Amino acid sequence: MIAELQCVVLDCPDPVRLAGFYRSLLGGRVNKVDRRWALDDGWATLHTAAGLVLAFQRVADHRPPRWPDPAHPQQFHLDLGVPDLDAAESEVVAAGATVLDDGAGSDRPWRIYADPAGHPFCLVRHGTGAT
């Protein structure tokens, strides 16, 4: 092993807002003191209930991905496991997500959304393959 993953960092225009959005999805604590980094107006963190850390970095000229447009690729996405896709969709939309692909007309076990800064993420029914 060469390294240990400290966190996943997402560029965005408003770090605290995006950290709060993901807290509403994953639980945890926004901007918990952590010796690994300093918190400021350009950086926010979310220590999730599962122990993972997401970080959010302010980018003045943030250009969000536009799934599935290859001219503005998604770059990466998060798969979030849920027991009930319909219930989870209602909650993530209420928290500020945008539906990109609701899987209408298919029985696939995932749906695609964008967070408030435009990053795609999937809700995946527990026990199924990811996107």
Side-chain angles (χ1 to χ4, degrees):
M1 180 172 92
I2 294 173
E4 181 178 291
L5 180 66
Q6 290 188 347
C7 64
V8 175
V9 182
L10 288 79
D11 289 351
C12 62
D14 186 341
V16 172
R17 179 175 178 234
L18 200 56
F21 170 80
Y22 279 102
R23 183 188 50 75
S24 71
L25 273 61
L26 303 170
R29 187 168 164 201
V30 172
N31 287 341
K32 175 181 172 183
V33 175
D34 189 314
R35 65 177 174 73
R36 294 175 288 184
W37 44 73
L39 300 170
D40 60 32
D41 288 344
W43 181 267
T45 61
L46 173 64
H47 287 71
T48 69
L52 302 171
V53 179
L54 297 177
F56 308 91
Q57 175 177 268
R58 184 182 313 280
V59 173
D61 189 25
H62 178 255
R63 292 176 43 208
R66 292 188 199 143
W67 183 90
D69 181 355
H72 299 272
Q74 66 177 327
Q75 300 159 11
F76 83 100
H77 71 269
L78 302 173
D79 282 349
L80 308 176
V82 299
D84 182 321
L85 285 171
D86 292 330
E89 178 172 304
S90 295
E91 292 180 54
V92 299
V93 169
T98 301
V99 177
L100 297 178
D101 183 347
D102 65 3
S106 75
D107 62 350
R108 70 173 198 228
W110 74 85
R111 297 179 188 168
I112 305 165
Y113 306 85
D115 69 23
H119 303 105
F121 69 93
C122 296
L123 295 180
V124 181
R125 190 177 315 113
H126 282 303
T128 61
T131 57

